[in-house]
Amino acid sequence: MGVSHRIFAIARRAPRRSFGALGPHGLRAGFSSRPAHWDEDPDCLLATQKPGQVDLTHWIHSVLGKPLQRSDAEQARQRFWLTREQRCQGHNTMPDDSWWTLLQSIVARRAPVKATAAFLLYCSGITLAFENLRNFSTTGQPVVVDEVTHVVQYVMASHDVMQTCTGFIATALFMTLSFRMNRAASRWWHGREMCAQLLSNARNFKHVTSVSVTDKALAVELSMLGYAFVRAAEFHMRLEPDERYTEAFRPLLPPATLKELLAAPHRPYFLAQRINKRIADTYDAGATKNVRLVVAMQNQINNLVQTIEGIECIRSTPEPWSYQKHNVLLMKLWLSILPVALVPTLHFATPLLGGSIGYVVYKLDDVAAEICNPFGVDESDISLCVMIDRFQLELLAALLAEVKYQPCHTAVMPELCADDMPEECSEQP
């Protein structure tokens, strides 16, 4: 027997070691052992038919099948966002612009209401002072009647000049407000595009993973880690507490990894590193079809990281300091001169008209400041949590279908009834 035949015989008698069946968290041989943290969590533990096995379907349900616990305020906000989405999608549905809705929009944010109330008091004070001076100029004592009369006459005579100056300042003010509103709306739409790109990259990562990885458990784990990255991006943008991370990722990550996640300075980036390590483990174990598909998965992770960087750029970049302060100073200067220019003509109607104009200016400034950061929890912000909840349900259904799917190497041709066939095909030759 030659040397080559001896080596072949030894190789046949040696036990085979398969690396293509890595389970969750690096476990080997087709779910041959349960993840360590499942034994510590009764909610994730399932008594399967064979001891020592993990039910993949139950693992998917434990990660994606449970909605996050949200407070009453968060649920009300989600219902508000869903209602607005339904109205936006409906072709014949008019927006709700009733007086009650408009009143709610006025009192929804307290900052412009408080500023308008203070400006109304200022207009009232200017009006009362002017009217008292005008009455005192006609019925006052002779000692001061001349000075008071000169003040009133100067204001009345300079009325046209004051209106011109007020109009010039108003032009500059509303130009800056218009520019600020346009920039804020641009940031809002760009943030919405970033959110759509984030979810699109997560979906693409799931599709590439299901094609690239030959082991179902590893493919499912990588897909759920992609969901974890998206959910962590939401928590990171809205500064959610650690309890939210623990609730969402406890069935997915081992306790040690979960502690490292909570201690990480940038948690979405930590999950991106975790996905990269699992992709490397998959390739080292031989559970991928080829290197190009591994590169494709890595490209999707790079896209996720780039998207979160774009979202961070919008969230953490404030308006230029000098521009913002100049806008506020110009607004206060114009509003302080406005009642003096209006009172010679409007008299006691000055507080009413001046307060209305002041509210419009303060509200425009507040809207621009509100939509500059579209990732908050205000009514005008992007409904990121609603979109990710919808993506969670979609991923749940997709992974359950993938687990049940049986490969078929021939064309799947369904049986057609006579009603589904064209007439020329149903005719007999």
Side-chain angles (χ1 to χ4, degrees), residues 23 67-68 83 103 163 186 213 231 233 258 275 327 350 354 358 413 427:
L68 296 179
T83 304
L103 181 62
Q163 283 188 339
S186 177
V213 181
R231 184 66 76 178
L258 185 58
I275 298 174
N327 191 20
T350 300
M413 301 178 63
E427 295 178 358

Side-chain angles (χ1 to χ4, degrees), residues 116 174 177 355-365:
T116 304
F174 283 98
L177 279 177
S356 302
I357 296 175
Y359 175 77
V360 171
V361 175
Y362 284 125
K363 189 61 179 179
L364 287 176
D365 182 73

Side-chain angles (χ1 to χ4, degrees), residues 120-134 339-340 342-344 346-352:
L120 182 61
L121 292 177
Y122 173 74
C123 291
S124 302
I126 294 294
T127 303
L128 292 177
F130 179 81
E131 294 297 330
N132 288 332
L133 288 176
R134 192 180 65 168
V340 182
L342 295 179
V343 68
L346 300 178
H347 300 290
F348 286 103
T350 300
L352 179 61

Side-chain angles (χ1 to χ4, degrees), residues 107-402:
V107 300
R109 293 178 64 86
R110 304 293 179 85
V113 176
K114 292 180 179 179
T116 304
F119 182 68
L120 182 61
L121 292 177
Y122 173 74
C123 291
S124 302
I126 294 294
T127 303
L128 292 177
F130 179 81
E131 294 297 330
N132 288 332
L133 288 176
R134 192 180 65 168
N135 293 333
F136 188 72
S137 64
T138 56
T139 60
Q141 299 297 327
V143 180
V144 295
V145 67
D146 294 335
E147 289 78 5
V148 175
T149 303
H150 291 161
V151 172
V152 174
Q153 290 177 353
Y154 176 78
V155 173
M156 297 293 293
S158 306
H159 178 59
D160 295 336
V161 178
M162 295 181 63
Q163 283 188 339
T164 303
C165 296
T166 306
F168 173 77
I169 299 176
T171 302
L173 172 63
F174 283 98
M175 284 182 62
T176 56
L177 279 177
S178 176
F179 178 76
R180 189 183 183 190
M181 286 288 296
N182 291 334
R183 294 301 302 169
S186 177
R187 285 167 62 107
W188 194 95
W189 283 109
H190 187 54
R192 180 61 182 88
E193 292 174 355
M194 289 290 102
C195 293
Q197 186 176 353
L198 179 70
L199 294 175
S200 176
N201 292 331
R203 290 186 176 95
N204 293 337
F205 177 71
K206 187 269 170 190
H207 297 323
V208 174
T209 300
S210 61
V211 174
S212 306
V213 181
T214 57
D215 184 79
K216 286 187 178 181
L218 273 174
V220 167
E221 182 188 6
L222 289 174
S223 300
M224 290 192 297
L225 285 174
Y227 155 76
F229 180 91
V230 174
R231 184 66 76 178
E234 175 202 349
F235 294 162
H236 182 72
M237 289 299 107
R238 294 182 172 174
L239 303 177
E240 296 287 351
D242 295 344
E243 290 77 12
R244 283 294 178 87
Y245 292 88
T246 304
E247 176 189 358
F249 306 141
R250 180 171 52 89
L252 179 60
L253 301 176
T257 307
L258 185 58
K259 291 181 181 179
E260 294 177 1
L261 172 67
L262 298 179
H266 196 285
R267 292 168 182 177
Y269 184 68
F270 175 85
L271 286 174
Q273 290 181 319
R274 173 73 178 178
I275 298 174
N276 287 333
K277 292 178 182 178
R278 298 302 296 144
I279 292 176
D281 295 340
T282 304
Y283 177 74
D284 294 338
T288 56
K289 294 182 179 180
N290 53 56
V291 180
R292 293 183 179 180
L293 293 176
V294 176
V295 174
M297 288 190 291
Q298 183 61 41
N299 289 335
Q300 294 299 326
I301 300 302
N302 294 337
N303 293 335
L304 286 173
V305 174
Q306 290 177 0
T307 305
I308 197 67
E309 288 295 336
I311 294 176
E312 283 275 12
C313 180
I314 298 176
R315 187 182 70 97
S316 60
T317 303
E319 294 179 295
W321 186 84
S322 59
Y323 167 74
Q324 182 183 11
K325 298 305 177 184
H326 174 73
N327 191 20
V328 174
L329 178 62
L330 191 62
M331 181 175 61
K332 292 183 179 296
L333 177 63
W334 182 71
L335 289 177
S336 63
I337 300 176
L338 180 64
V340 182
L342 295 179
V343 68
T345 304
L346 300 178
H347 300 290
F348 286 103
T350 300
L352 179 61
L353 184 60
S356 302
I357 296 175
Y359 175 77
V360 171
V361 175
Y362 284 125
K363 189 61 179 179
L364 287 176
D365 182 73
D366 182 71
V367 169
E370 179 185 0
I371 64 178
C372 274
N373 180 21
F375 305 110
V377 292
D378 296 323
E379 284 79 2
S380 299
D381 292 329
I382 299 173
S383 55
L384 184 59
C385 57
V386 175
M387 292 186 289
I388 297 180
D389 289 345
R390 191 179 296 118
F391 170 68
Q392 178 181 350
L393 296 177
E394 295 171 358
L395 184 62
L396 173 64
L399 292 181
L400 291 178
E402 183 177 348

